[in-house]
Amino acid sequence: MGVSYSDGRLTMDLDPLERGPQDACGVFGVWAPGEEVSKLTYFGLYALQHRGQESAGIALSDGERIVVYKDMGLVSQVFNEATLDSLRGHLAIGHCRYSTTGSPVWENAQPTFYTAREGGLALGHNGNLINTPELAAMLPDTRRGATTDTEVLTNLLAERARSGSSVEDAALELLPQVRGAFSLVFMDEGTLYAARDPQGIRPFVLGRLGETSGAGGWVVASETAALDIVGAKVVREIEPGELLTIDERGVRSRRFAPARRKGCLFEYVYLARPDTTIAGRNVNSTRVEVGRRLAKEHPVEADLVIPVPESGTPAAVGYAEASGIPFAQGLVKNSYVGRTFIQPSQTLRQLGIRLKLNPLRDVIEGRRLVVVDDSIVRGNTQRALVRMLRDAGAAEVHVRISSPPVLWPCYYGIDFATRAELIAANMSVDEIAASVNADSLAYVDLDELIAASEVPKDNLCRACFDGVYPIEVRDDARGKYLLEKSCGTPEGSTLATSDK
């Protein structure tokens, strides 16, 4: 457990010092002449806020110049009505970031931006590259010093376009050399581009705007939920190894690598919104089915099934349905807890400060509980949760987890704990149960989780569960700060422009 959303939507940490797996980023792009593309992008990012809460940004073009506005904070903190009204144009890209390469500082916020006499290029990236040092070595001396894999990619792409290639041709030349997870949105002054890595590790979709209103437009986004919020119809997934070019001529597709599908299984467990569809399968339906399978695989005699809100709720519904044990809300989440920079002292923690969850004693007292959650990482938050339920009078606490044990770190865009910190990598299930003081503990089997996703096993990246990495990661390419020697933390927004 211990998974932390800092927008308050899916927050379950009892102690803000405990940090669980952090998300991949969210990307959004729109080409829609005549529409308020800045506001469409804002709402698209709002729907993707769960994928990254450190910074947010929008790049926009009116056909003559690109304007980039970005800052640290949540989407609603970075943008307001006046700012969005000032950003006028017909195409835009947006990004909300959690840092997996490079520090969480303003300089590393996205979209990244390259400007030259010939024009500008802005780019947003969801994922994590695993050959960043090799790519950085390809940069000209004038562009050395990039601190993120995204900045390296932006500079390489723009330099190739400067040398006489079109941006589209430059992308087709560069992308086959890029290894790792990437769902990219990028743009020049007149065209929107989208590209997905050959494994398709992170979700990425194409949508159509305005089919009923008569207006025309195209949208690309990390999740289908972002298309829903802006009123776009899902057209299809962007294929692994595919580059899309979108302009007044419509959508053109070119392939830069053959597809070798390895979609992230953890998206179904936790990362994606429940109202998103991945590979034709609704995420909420998958999570409910996982709960059903968990109940059949690990039954227990109990009085109530309660979820850890909110990521444990769908699986808890499925567990209750399959087991016949009544479902109840036994924990109340404070929906208005966002980021907190006021850390509780040891004394306050000992008093049991509960910023984000509080038990319903009338529901819990004297009952045997099945507590359903999505994952356990370090075990600290689960330990605090069990203690809280026992203090509220629970007769028994049986923990059921709707994912297999997390045994290995991720190098493709999720910032997990190190293997040394992962409790399941260092303890047996019985030892973890004793450590968190649960009466019993059980995880869903990996094959059962895969079956619930309805995606063939060979088409999924399962590395965090089984250690089988679909793309080999060299030791010299690991580490969040591998490109950084020193980093400041400047404050304030920027408005960067490039004239064509």
Side-chain angles (χ1 to χ4, degrees):
M1 195 191 142
V3 187
S4 176
Y5 271 113
S6 36
D7 66 350
R9 184 182 67 83
L10 287 175
T11 304
M12 59 213 69
D13 287 352
L14 304 181
D15 183 343
L17 292 177
E18 166 74 359
R19 186 180 67 84
Q22 303 292 317
D23 295 13
C25 303
V27 294
F28 185 90
V30 56
W31 188 93
E35 300 288 341
E36 295 182 283
V37 296
S38 64
K39 292 183 180 178
L40 288 173
T41 305
Y42 171 85
F43 288 119
L45 293 181
Y46 202 87
L48 298 171
Q49 183 70 90
H50 60 288
R51 299 189 73 87
Q53 304 92 40
E54 290 179 352
S55 63
I58 293 174
L60 182 141
S61 174
D62 60 2
E64 296 297 322
R65 66 174 186 168
I66 296 173
V67 176
V68 180
Y69 190 97
K70 60 185 179 180
D71 207 347
M72 303 302 293
L74 304 177
V75 175
S76 60
Q77 295 169 325
V78 172
F79 299 99
N80 57 36
E81 190 91 21
T83 301
L84 294 171
D85 284 341
S86 71
L87 298 174
R88 297 187 176 277
H90 70 283
L91 77 131
I93 64 171
H95 188 272
C96 52
R97 182 178 190 243
Y98 176 77
S99 52
T100 54
T101 300
S103 298
V105 295
W106 180 87
E107 292 97 330
N108 293 338
Q110 297 181 36
T112 50
F113 184 60
Y114 180 110
T115 183
R117 183 179 59 192
E118 298 85 352
L121 182 79
L123 185 145
H125 172 206
N126 170 207
N128 196 57
L129 306 186
I130 60 169
N131 65 333
T132 302
E134 175 186 326
L135 295 171
M138 296 163 58
L139 288 170
D141 290 341
T142 55
R143 290 288 174 173
R144 296 290 170 93
T147 54
T148 68
D149 53 355
T150 307
E151 187 179 2
V152 169
L153 202 56
T154 306
N155 288 337
L156 286 173
L157 188 57
E159 287 290 333
R160 278 165 168 73
R162 279 188 69 193
S163 66
S165 300
S166 66
V167 173
E168 184 176 0
D169 288 340
L172 290 169
E173 177 188 345
L174 175 63
L175 292 176
Q177 303 173 66
V178 179
R179 298 176 65 243
F182 56 89
S183 292
L184 305 175
V185 289
F186 52 106
M187 61 183 283
D188 57 23
E189 284 78 7
T191 307
L192 173 67
Y193 305 90
R196 191 179 186 193
D197 66 84
Q199 288 73 30
I201 292 175
R202 300 279 148 237
F204 207 17
V205 289
L206 170 68
R208 187 79 166 99
L209 265 177
E211 286 193 336
T212 56
S213 66
W218 297 92
V219 181
V220 295
S222 291
E223 297 187 28
T224 61
L227 302 185
D228 295 338
I229 201 173
V230 300
K233 179 182 178 181
V234 178
V235 175
R236 62 175 176 87
E237 287 201 345
I238 297 170
E239 290 294 312
E242 183 180 26
L243 170 68
L244 295 182
T245 302
I246 303 173
D247 57 20
E248 66 278 359
R249 292 175 289 175
V251 178
R252 299 186 301 282
S253 170
R254 297 180 71 179
R255 184 162 290 282
F256 62 88
R260 299 185 295 274
R261 291 183 179 274
K262 293 291 181 182
C264 174
L265 185 55
F266 204 73
E267 292 278 355
Y268 292 97
V269 172
Y270 169 69
L271 292 183
R273 281 175 51 142
D275 52 342
T276 277
T277 297
I278 302 175
R281 175 71 159 154
N282 175 259
V283 170
N284 185 75
S285 298
T286 300
R287 291 173 184 170
V288 172
E289 177 60 20
V290 171
R292 295 189 190 106
R293 291 170 180 268
L294 185 57
K296 293 173 183 176
E297 188 181 4
H298 298 291
V300 65
E301 290 188 8
D303 302 308
L304 293 176
V305 176
I306 68 168
V308 177
E310 293 185 12
S311 60
T313 300
V317 169
Y319 194 102
E321 178 185 305
S323 67
I325 302 170
F327 174 92
Q329 295 286 355
L331 294 163
V332 175
K333 176 175 67 70
N334 183 349
S335 300
Y336 299 96
V337 171
R339 292 169 175 239
T340 176
F341 297 102
I342 302 172
Q343 305 294 356
S345 66
Q346 183 61 32
T347 300
L348 287 174
R349 286 199 294 273
Q350 288 172 347
L351 289 173
I353 183 170
R354 297 166 186 163
L355 294 179
K356 300 172 182 180
L357 286 179
N358 203 37
L360 286 167
R361 181 176 288 273
D362 288 350
V363 173
I364 290 167
E365 192 168 18
R367 304 294 182 89
R368 299 170 298 171
L369 305 178
V370 178
V371 182
V372 181
D373 201 5
D374 60 275
S375 59
I376 299 178
V377 180
R378 292 176 178 86
N380 295 336
T381 304
Q382 196 76 42
R383 193 174 296 113
L385 177 63
V386 173
R387 184 187 311 117
M388 183 176 70
L389 293 172
R390 292 196 186 281
D391 288 345
E396 297 176 10
V397 180
H398 301 275
V399 177
R400 295 294 180 268
I401 303 298
S402 60
S403 67
V406 176
L407 298 169
W408 302 89
C410 175
Y411 301 108
Y412 309 133
I414 309 172
D415 190 12
F416 274 121
T418 65
R419 184 159 166 77
E421 296 173 296
L422 293 171
I423 192 170
N426 298 282
M427 291 185 181
S428 68
V429 174
D430 288 343
E431 287 171 336
I432 298 171
S435 174
V436 302
N437 194 29
D439 290 285
S440 71
L441 167 67
Y443 298 82
V444 75
D445 182 76
L446 177 57
D447 287 338
E448 295 294 328
L449 172 61
I450 291 169
S453 77
E454 297 185 353
V455 177
K457 183 174 183 178
D458 289 343
N459 288 358
L460 290 166
C461 175
R462 319 168 304 271
C464 58
F465 302 126
D466 65 7
V468 179
Y469 291 92
I471 316 169
E472 183 182 358
V473 185
R474 292 175 6 203
D475 289 341
D476 64 354
R478 301 180 184 185
K480 185 171 180 176
Y481 309 107
L482 57 88
L483 292 177
E484 293 179 333
K485 294 181 179 178
S486 62
C487 190
T489 54
E491 297 179 355
S493 303
T494 189
L495 196 61
T497 66
S498 100
D499 293 308
K500 190 173 179 180

